Amino acid sequence: MYMDQPIGVIDSGVGGLTVASELMRQLPKEKLIYLGDTLRCPYGPRPKEEVIKYTLEMVNFLREKKMKLLVIACNTATAFTLDILRETLDIPVIGVIEPGARAAIKMTNNMNVGVIGTEGTIESKAYPAALTSIHADLSVYDLACPKFVPLVEKGMFTGDEVYRVIEESLQPLKTIAEIDTLILGCTHYPLLADTIQAVVGKDVMIISSGEETAREVSAILGYQALLFEGERHPEHEFYTTGSSDVFEQITQQWLDITVNDVKKITISSNF
Amino acid sequence: MYMDQPIGVIDSGVGGLTVASELMRQLPKEKLIYLGDTLRCPYGPRPKEEVIKYTLEMVNFLREKKMKLLVIACNTATAFTLDILRETLDIPVIGVIEPGARAAIKMTNNMNVGVIGTEGTIESKAYPAALTSIHADLSVYDLACPKFVPLVEKGMFTGDEVYRVIEESLQPLKTIAEIDTLILGCTHYPLLADTIQAVVGKDVMIISSGEETAREVSAILGYQALLFEGERHPEHEFYTTGSSDVFEQITQQWLDITVNDVKKITISSNF
């Protein structure tokens, strides 16, 4: 049956595991097939055309699997390919930008929303577009934080050095406006959430795309009558274009999930 | 164009105005057509067949208006008619139960979720069904609070008397389980939220269906490419089967929204 099929999750690498982890938590009966393009990560600094090409190649690989829904768990890939994929595929396609934007609209009181992300995501202006197309009166303050992903990839989530880098990076945002809501517009950033919260202060509400995306996946599946209805403890499948050992280590270290049998694959460019 | 059409909102009376108010806040460019069946309110203590009949009569009236989406802003009506209306209508139909359930799943840490509502909603077991069909490991503790709606309808939201009634009513819930999340499963209850929060303590996260429903309406409209895309300050339309004066007063008093031209209508029973 269609509702028995898995949810596909694609990401530029391991960052999307924060989204996968929330999907597992909020939708424990749904099976995931995760593909991380670790070999060509990060997507953030790459030109738009390259991000589109790589993302379509990932989708091409996953197409052989029968998915009922696809999650683009990478902000940069969402910014550049969501519209294309919604037109191309005949299943629901959910990106990470709109759910974060909607959560910010729900939560902000003073209408000043901050967004941090990679260069690619911030330059795309996808968040300001998503936010103001729904709510024209919002003021959006966005900022690229190119130093954050390298911290996470080195396994540095807290500590003095991390605090210092985050404080310096967020300085422009702090002096511009009294934001009351901050969207973590990169799926790596939730791992830095505690330190980011300490830097911006407890009055700023921090929105993690992963949680919000999982929530919207649940809503869309529910609305389409596609939620799995029986009982099961699904075995998820993980694929990476890079080293499967490193992928397994990071999953264990970041998310406290043991993932065995990560398959290293090569993806072709025939879309 | 289809995306220019209004969102229909039906409720047993004025409680659904808390949902309408959140729709206005989160989706300020969307036009609403609200119908409250004040004459036959409350639906909570009525038998299922009657709630279905009355709700279908409301939908019948609104069908003449061209709506792009229908919100059932009443928990009791959602419990008994969501499935029927999804089968009957060719537009998306959103109830208030699933959004509240999904928000609780996102927020709970200890997997103990409380739900309070009218007798009809609680007896229907719609919340436990929605929660555990998605997440089988949740423990759900539900409780009918028949004294809450009369308080709200008398304009009593805070104060010693209100505190005492709420504390007494919630006593069974407090002694049963250490819930960390409480769903307000009735659209009147957000007006009592401050007092409910004081009674249950600040460590319990309170979920208001109105906020969560507006968020999911945004997600479904966005996913279906049905969000209004231009600029406008829509003039909403309000209809009631009861006194339009009382309806206008309550709207002003509850929500600090001035609503003029509330039209009193009579609805027919030909569905």
Side-chain angles (χ1 to χ4, degrees), chain B:
Chain B
M1 289 233 315
Y2 204 43
M3 66 174 62
D4 299 349
Q5 293 174 4
I7 296 169
V9 182
I10 53 174
D11 182 54
S12 56
V14 289
L17 287 169
T18 60
V19 182
S21 144
E22 273 299 316
L23 286 165
M24 292 177 206
R25 194 178 68 83
Q26 295 183 40
L27 293 167
K29 299 195 296 188
E30 300 296 337
K31 173 178 170 138
L32 306 184
I33 297 185
Y34 184 100
L35 169 55
D37 192 7
T38 327
L39 189 69
R40 302 186 290 194
C41 183
Y43 281 13
R46 291 186 188 274
K48 178 175 178 176
E49 293 65 33
E50 208 164 51
V51 172
I52 294 174
K53 180 171 178 290
Y54 291 177
T55 307
L56 295 186
E57 285 170 9
M58 279 200 283
V59 172
N60 198 30
F61 170 80
L62 277 191
R63 263 182 154 174
E64 294 163 27
K65 318 280 172 189
K66 291 200 169 157
M67 306 175 286
K68 60 181 175 184
L69 183 144
L70 176 68
V71 178
I72 313 172
C74 166
N75 281 270
T76 312
T78 299
F80 295 141
T81 69
L82 180 63
D83 291 344
I84 299 169
L85 288 174
R86 282 197 170 155
E87 276 177 34
T88 313
L89 302 178
D90 57 2
I91 53 172
V93 181
I94 311 290
V96 282
I97 291 177
E98 292 169 348
R102 267 190 277 277
I105 290 169
K106 195 192 87 174
M107 290 169 77
T108 183
N109 293 310
N110 73 6
M111 297 290 172
N112 292 324
V113 174
V115 182
I116 53 177
T118 65
E119 300 99 312
T121 303
I122 297 303
E123 281 163 22
S124 78
K125 291 288 170 191
Y127 273 103
L131 287 159
T132 58
S133 74
I134 295 176
H135 207 311
D137 298 337
L138 283 175
S139 297
V140 184
Y141 304 91
D142 55 0
L143 180 70
C145 297
K147 292 183 179 167
F148 287 12
V149 169
L151 283 180
V152 173
E153 302 223 322
K154 275 183 265 176
M156 295 170 67
F157 309 148
T158 53
D160 290 349
E161 164 76 0
V162 173
Y163 190 94
R164 197 186 51 74
V165 172
I166 291 177
E167 190 173 40
E168 274 180 24
S169 298
L170 296 184
Q171 199 56 41
L173 208 57
K174 290 192 81 172
T175 55
I176 287 170
E178 290 289 331
I179 59 164
D180 71 350
T181 308
L182 178 64
I183 300 174
L184 305 186
C186 171
T187 51
H188 282 74
Y189 295 2
L191 293 151
L192 302 171
D194 289 347
T195 310
I196 293 171
Q197 185 82 70
V199 168
V200 297
K202 66 177 171 43
D203 293 338
V204 176
M205 294 172 283
I206 289 185
I207 290 173
S208 154
S209 300
E211 284 181 30
E212 305 303 334
T213 301
R215 163 86 190 279
E216 289 206 6
V217 167
S218 178
I220 299 295
L221 288 179
Y223 170 69
Q224 305 253 34
L226 284 177
L227 284 166
F228 180 77
E229 285 184 350
E231 292 299 326
R232 67 175 176 187
H233 296 280
E235 288 204 10
H236 310 296
E237 294 175 30
F238 292 86
Y239 299 89
T240 175
T241 56
S243 156
S244 53
D245 285 350
V246 172
F247 190 98
E248 285 170 12
Q249 274 168 30
I250 288 178
T251 314
Q252 180 76 52
Q253 185 194 346
W254 283 16
L255 305 175
D256 211 17
I257 299 172
T258 303
V259 173
N260 299 313
D261 282 335
V262 172
K263 293 181 187 66
K264 180 170 172 12
I265 56 143
T266 308
I267 56 184
S268 78
S269 41
N270 306 312
F271 189 69

Side-chain angles (χ1 to χ4, degrees), chain A residues 6-217:
Chain A
I7 296 169
V9 182
I10 54 174
D11 182 55
S12 57
V14 289
L17 288 168
T18 60
V19 182
S21 145
E22 275 298 317
L23 285 165
M24 292 177 206
R25 192 177 70 81
Q26 294 183 38
L27 293 167
K29 299 196 295 189
E30 300 296 337
K31 172 176 169 138
L32 306 184
I33 298 186
Y34 184 100
L35 169 56
D37 193 6
T38 327
L39 189 69
R40 302 185 290 195
C41 182
Y43 282 12
R46 292 186 187 274
K48 177 176 179 176
E49 293 66 32
E50 208 163 52
V51 172
I52 294 175
K53 180 171 178 289
Y54 291 177
T55 307
L56 295 185
E57 286 170 10
M58 280 200 282
V59 172
N60 197 30
F61 171 80
L62 277 191
R63 264 183 153 175
E64 295 162 26
K65 319 278 173 189
K66 291 201 168 155
M67 305 174 287
K68 62 181 175 184
L69 182 145
L70 176 68
V71 178
I72 313 172
C74 166
N75 282 271
T76 312
T78 298
F80 295 141
T81 70
L82 180 63
D83 292 344
I84 299 170
L85 288 175
R86 283 197 169 155
E87 275 176 34
T88 313
L89 302 178
D90 56 4
I91 53 173
V93 181
I94 311 289
V96 282
I97 291 177
E98 291 169 348
R102 267 189 278 275
I105 289 169
K106 194 191 87 173
M107 292 170 77
T108 184
N109 294 310
N110 72 5
M111 297 290 173
N112 292 324
V113 174
V115 182
I116 53 176
T118 66
E119 300 99 312
T121 303
I122 297 302
E123 280 163 23
S124 78
K125 292 288 170 190
Y127 273 102
L131 287 159
T132 58
S133 75
I134 295 177
H135 207 310
D137 298 337
L138 283 174
S139 297
V140 184
Y141 302 91
D142 55 358
L143 180 70
C145 297
K147 291 181 179 168
F148 287 11
V149 169
L151 283 179
V152 172
E153 302 224 322
K154 274 183 267 177
M156 295 170 67
F157 308 148
T158 53
D160 290 349
E161 164 78 0
V162 173
Y163 190 94
R164 196 185 52 74
V165 171
I166 291 177
E167 190 173 40
E168 274 181 23
S169 298
L170 296 184
Q171 200 54 43
L173 208 56
K174 291 191 80 172
T175 54
I176 286 170
E178 291 288 332
I179 59 165
D180 71 350
T181 309
L182 178 64
I183 301 174
L184 306 185
C186 171
T187 51
H188 281 74
Y189 295 1
L191 293 152
L192 301 172
D194 289 347
T195 312
I196 292 170
Q197 186 82 69
V199 168
V200 298
K202 65 176 171 43
D203 292 337
V204 176
M205 295 172 283
I206 289 183
I207 290 173
S208 154
S209 300
E211 283 180 30
E212 305 303 334
T213 301
R215 162 87 191 279
E216 289 206 5
V217 167

